[in-house]
Amino acid sequence: MNLSNDQIIQDTERWLEKAVIGLNLCPFAKAVHVKKQLRYAVSDARNIDVLIETLIKELELLAETDSAKIEMTLLIHPYVLGDFLAYNDFLEIADSVLEELNLDGIFQIASFHPQYQFEGSQPDDIDNYTNRSPYPTLHLLREDSISKAVEAFPDADVIVDRNIATLRSMGHEGWKKLWV
């Protein structure tokens, strides 16, 4: 697979618009998308060390940039960590990078992956699709933004349950139709 960065971003933006925003999987995503405060960063990393370097650069850029300009970043890395278990293990490393940069509590990292699988679920369970993206992706979020979003949407705990219910009502057939 050797797609252009433009194609990777288009695929990711399509997923964001159709699934994340379109199905309201994240009620906070639409405003950031509409205001163009979401940065799409494509990493050409082919190994974990280069991905860590890219993650550091993206976190530093986010830390140095006003949230009115860049609220959050989707760090898309299509050429490394295609295996979900390896990706899932990498998330501990990503969190340790936050700590090493003294950015723990300022940012957090959410995870999306084409093979995303919740603990205790089967690989083909529709519930997993709430976190399935076209490519492995690290979502770099500001803690302040999360706090503001939770204030605006106090029942944030129900989002996960609502998302699962939405996908279960659609089923695999409905998910496939979304992409036609």
Side-chain angles (χ1 to χ4, degrees):
M1 172 179 61
N2 232 353
L3 298 170
S4 71
N5 286 359
D6 287 344
Q7 183 62 55
I8 292 165
I9 291 170
Q10 283 176 358
D11 292 345
T12 303
E13 192 168 28
R14 182 173 177 245
W15 162 75
L16 180 82
E17 290 171 348
K18 287 188 168 266
V20 178
I21 295 171
L23 298 176
N24 200 29
L25 298 179
C26 177
F28 320 118
K30 185 176 182 178
V32 174
H33 177 65
V34 169
K35 293 178 187 174
K36 300 195 181 310
Q37 296 171 311
L38 174 60
R39 174 175 161 76
Y40 295 90
V42 179
S43 172
D44 62 356
R46 310 272 176 176
N47 64 60
I48 290 172
D49 292 335
V50 174
L51 181 58
I52 291 169
E53 290 172 19
T54 307
L55 175 61
I56 291 168
K57 288 177 187 169
E58 287 299 325
L59 284 167
E60 289 173 342
L61 175 68
L62 201 56
E64 295 165 1
T65 306
D66 187 318
S67 64
K69 187 169 182 169
I70 303 174
E71 183 71 32
M72 56 187 65
T73 299
L74 290 177
L75 175 53
I76 310 157
H77 47 96
Y79 309 112
V80 65
L81 298 173
D83 175 77
F84 178 69
L85 294 178
Y87 171 83
N88 203 42
D89 290 343
F90 177 80
L91 296 175
E92 287 183 34
I93 295 170
D95 284 338
S96 70
V97 167
L98 278 177
E99 291 174 19
E100 288 173 28
L101 295 174
N102 294 317
L103 295 174
D104 190 33
I106 298 170
F107 298 109
Q108 77 175 234
I109 301 173
S111 58
F112 298 98
H113 193 280
Q115 300 167 357
Y116 197 96
Q117 184 176 346
F118 288 106
E119 187 176 344
S121 71
Q122 296 301 310
D124 61 345
D125 285 352
I126 194 69
D127 301 12
N128 296 319
Y129 286 71
T130 62
N131 286 56
R132 287 203 176 167
S133 57
Y135 309 99
T137 302
L138 299 170
H139 185 189
L140 314 180
L141 302 114
R142 297 174 188 272
E143 289 275 354
D144 286 350
S145 301
I146 296 167
S147 298
K148 288 175 190 169
V150 170
E151 283 177 26
F153 195 93
D155 292 332
D157 296 346
V158 304
I159 293 171
V160 173
D161 294 335
R162 187 194 66 214
N163 290 349
I164 290 171
T166 297
L167 288 176
R168 285 181 180 171
S169 70
M170 291 176 65
H172 288 283
E173 204 55 43
W175 182 260
K176 287 177 192 168
K177 285 180 184 175
L178 189 65
W179 306 106
V180 174

